[in-house]
Amino acid sequence: MTSATEAANGTAATAAGETLAAARAFIQSAKFAEAERLLVPLPAQNPDTHTAVEALYALAVARRYQGNHGGALEALNELLTMNPEYSRACQEYGHTCLAANDPESAISAYKRAVELNPGLAASWKALAGLHDRAGRSEQARFAKAQADYLASLPPELAGVIDLLHEGKLHKAESVCRGFLQKNRQHVEGMRLLADIGVRLRIYDDAEFLLESCVEFEPDNARARADYLKVLNRKGKFEKAFEQAEVLVGQYPDSPAYQLSLASALAGLGRYDEAIERYRACLGDSPNKAGVHVLLGHALKAVGALDEAVDSYRAAYRLRPDYGDAFWSLANTKTYRFTDDEIKHIEDQEQQPRVSAEDRIHLCFAAGKAHEDRQDFATSFDFYERGNALKMARSGYDPERTSGMVDAQIATCTADLFERLGNAGCDSPDPIFIVGLPRAGSTLLEQILASHSDG
């Protein structure tokens, strides 16, 4: 029975794929009505999310070209409910709003598209024109610079950017390495390969590549900014501070580089200076909600908890679905959410277009809120949901972890400890434990404290 069902499902999937391909061919031939007839039944017939999403995307395109803007938006809304992080659907939403003479909605859609995938040249071009017509010259210049940068790239690297932001990291790496084999010391190719390395958590290789990029092209701000981020991530705050100073010296009016300098100062423990700069960044940064969260972290570090709470609250008032703002409040350990805040968190978590990252943080914040009220069943439900979402994105492999643990058990036998029992230092001097956050220093302290001679 199972084999028969699997065979039937496979046949249906093949048929759906053929129908989708035929509809796309109709769109390419400007036969939009014929494409629409093929596409309309596909989402309902195919519970497979990928097929439904692709069919809805093609349907929206076909309807837009026919001037049916309402129908196109209806298809896109259904699509984005299923997959709120589909960048090309956000771009298509922008195209449709623009065609319907709704420029502000188009701007919002294009901005969301490039947040999800900065490699969408059509969105950057549209944003440049829309901001220019609205008299927003700074935003127009920035969007045009992004569009020009993408236009300047070799086609292979433009494809790498697209693959990167679609989450196809191994394919992106293969294309990028192939390009670099033919174009050694190509700085943008090296920079993109480093970006892939960061996403795969291969930080040492990424650092080496970016350090080389900066040596080859000292004026390449993109490479230097990426190098700075890797240094921060590896806890090399002195070097990060040096790179941030160079960037601010080159681009003193850039809110992003001012923010990088503030974060480097925070990494060095120079919180008073960091706080001052974060507050200065609030005037210019387009991401004020994000700055408020970083400011809150710095304020919390110096013990200004009430001010930190105010900053986190300011962040979620600017962005009602900003999961990190709510989780930051929960993570103070002492903050207690109001009834209205709990309802707001739960309402936002249910919104279909909330990003996966925000949804995870909203779930954890809701879990902490209900835990504090001793509503443990509801708390557990939210923690479980948040962990499931996190698990799906983390790439964590429990079998690999089990294998590591099994190898440790096999190696660390009673015989091993008996043979090495006299190893170590006999000095009675105090032991000072130094570690980065989440490095296990607290656990090590507890292990040592439990020793019979402790």
Side-chain angles (χ1 to χ4, degrees):
M1 181 68 73
T2 303
S3 297
T5 302
E6 289 174 352
N9 288 341
T11 302
T14 300
E18 292 172 352
T19 303
L20 188 55
R24 286 170 172 161
F26 277 135
I27 291 172
Q28 289 291 325
S29 303
K31 297 178 180 179
F32 305 116
E34 290 91 333
E36 182 174 6
R37 278 195 293 273
L38 290 177
L39 291 165
V40 166
L42 273 184
Q45 291 172 356
N46 293 273
D48 168 41
T49 303
H50 176 75
T51 301
V53 162
E54 292 301 321
L56 287 165
Y57 177 79
L59 179 60
V61 172
R63 285 176 172 173
R64 173 168 64 85
Y65 276 113
Q66 293 178 86
N68 180 5
H69 303 136
L73 293 177
E74 181 183 344
L76 289 167
N77 281 325
E78 185 178 348
L79 186 165
L80 289 168
T81 297
M82 298 170 70
N83 183 355
E85 298 186 7
Y86 193 158
S87 59
R88 292 188 180 277
C90 295
Q91 177 172 266
E92 180 60 28
Y93 206 101
H95 293 339
T96 305
C97 289
L98 196 57
N101 197 27
D102 184 359
E104 289 306 313
S105 294
I107 287 173
S108 295
Y110 287 133
K111 285 173 68 175
R112 178 61 178 156
V114 295
E115 283 173 8
L116 293 167
N117 183 353
L120 295 176
S123 289
W124 286 119
K125 288 178 185 176
L127 281 170
L130 287 164
H131 283 312
D132 187 54
R133 287 194 287 277
R136 295 187 281 260
S137 57
E138 187 61 37
Q139 291 95 321
R141 275 196 297 271
F142 179 78
K144 184 178 184 304
Q146 304 309 306
D148 291 345
Y149 160 70
L150 291 169
S152 73
L153 289 176
E156 299 97 319
L157 295 187
V160 167
I161 293 176
D162 216 28
L163 290 166
L164 249 177
H165 295 283
E166 287 180 4
K168 299 174 181 177
L169 299 183
H170 294 291
K171 176 65 174 173
E173 181 183 12
S174 175
V175 173
C176 197
R177 286 188 183 278
F179 175 83
L180 284 170
Q181 284 175 355
K182 301 172 186 175
N183 303 271
R184 296 184 183 278
Q185 296 187 2
H186 190 287
V187 167
E188 280 306 295
M190 293 167 65
R191 191 183 71 82
L192 288 171
L193 185 59
D195 191 356
I196 296 166
V198 168
R199 292 164 191 263
L200 294 172
R201 301 190 179 117
I202 309 172
Y203 299 123
D204 289 346
D205 289 358
E207 181 185 356
F208 173 76
L209 282 165
L210 290 167
E211 185 177 22
S212 300
C213 289
V214 170
E215 288 178 4
F216 295 149
E217 292 185 6
D219 293 332
N220 189 318
R222 290 176 187 273
R224 194 177 294 276
D226 287 353
Y227 183 39
L228 162 62
K229 288 176 187 174
V230 170
L231 291 171
N232 268 329
R233 190 165 296 207
K234 293 186 69 179
K236 297 184 176 182
F237 299 118
E238 286 283 0
K239 294 179 83 171
F241 178 73
E242 292 170 7
Q243 299 304 316
E245 281 196 309
V246 173
L247 285 168
V248 169
Q250 292 174 334
Y251 304 92
D253 296 328
S254 167
Y257 298 150
Q258 291 285 351
L259 196 57
S260 294
L261 184 57
S263 295
L265 286 165
L268 289 170
R270 294 162 60 177
Y271 290 111
D272 290 339
E273 295 170 79
I275 289 166
E276 184 180 344
R277 285 191 176 270
Y278 281 137
R279 284 180 169 147
C281 288
L282 284 170
D284 299 320
S285 175
N287 180 23
K288 289 183 173 59
V291 179
H292 271 297
V293 166
L294 292 172
L295 173 60
H297 294 342
L299 288 165
K300 186 173 76 166
V302 298
L305 193 56
D306 289 343
E307 291 180 73
V309 165
D310 288 342
S311 198
Y312 294 142
R313 282 173 163 171
Y316 81 65
R317 290 189 186 107
L318 287 166
R319 251 193 67 194
D321 64 350
Y322 196 4
D324 198 16
F326 291 104
W327 173 241
S328 295
L329 284 167
N331 205 32
T332 64
K333 307 296 192 270
T334 58
Y335 185 78
R336 297 295 179 263
F337 290 105
T338 66
D339 291 344
D340 287 343
E341 284 176 324
I342 293 173
K343 184 178 186 305
H344 177 94
I345 292 168
E346 293 178 348
D347 287 346
Q348 290 298 318
E349 195 275 325
Q350 289 296 310
Q351 296 303 311
R353 294 202 193 177
V354 170
S355 73
E357 195 67 25
D358 284 318
R359 196 182 303 283
I360 289 166
H361 284 122
L362 288 166
C363 283
F364 289 155
K368 180 65 165 61
H370 287 289
E371 181 184 354
D372 289 337
R373 295 184 173 209
Q374 299 191 342
D375 181 358
F376 299 121
T378 305
S379 173
F380 186 87
D381 286 344
F382 276 109
Y383 282 142
E384 187 174 42
R385 178 167 166 73
N387 278 324
L389 291 166
K390 185 72 174 176
M391 177 76 169
R393 291 171 63 84
S394 68
Y396 172 70
D397 183 354
E399 291 186 6
R400 182 182 177 190
T401 302
S402 295
M404 291 170 60
V405 172
D406 289 343
Q408 290 172 22
I409 292 171
T411 302
C412 300
T413 61
D415 176 63
L416 175 74
F417 289 112
E418 186 174 339
R419 284 190 291 107
L420 300 178
N422 295 320
C425 179
D426 295 329
S427 171
D429 296 344
I431 298 173
F432 292 93
I433 301 169
V434 180
L436 293 170
R438 316 309 304 166
S441 53
T442 303
L443 176 60
L444 183 57
E445 180 183 0
Q446 290 171 343
I447 292 170
L448 292 173
S450 68
H451 192 278
S452 58
D453 294 335

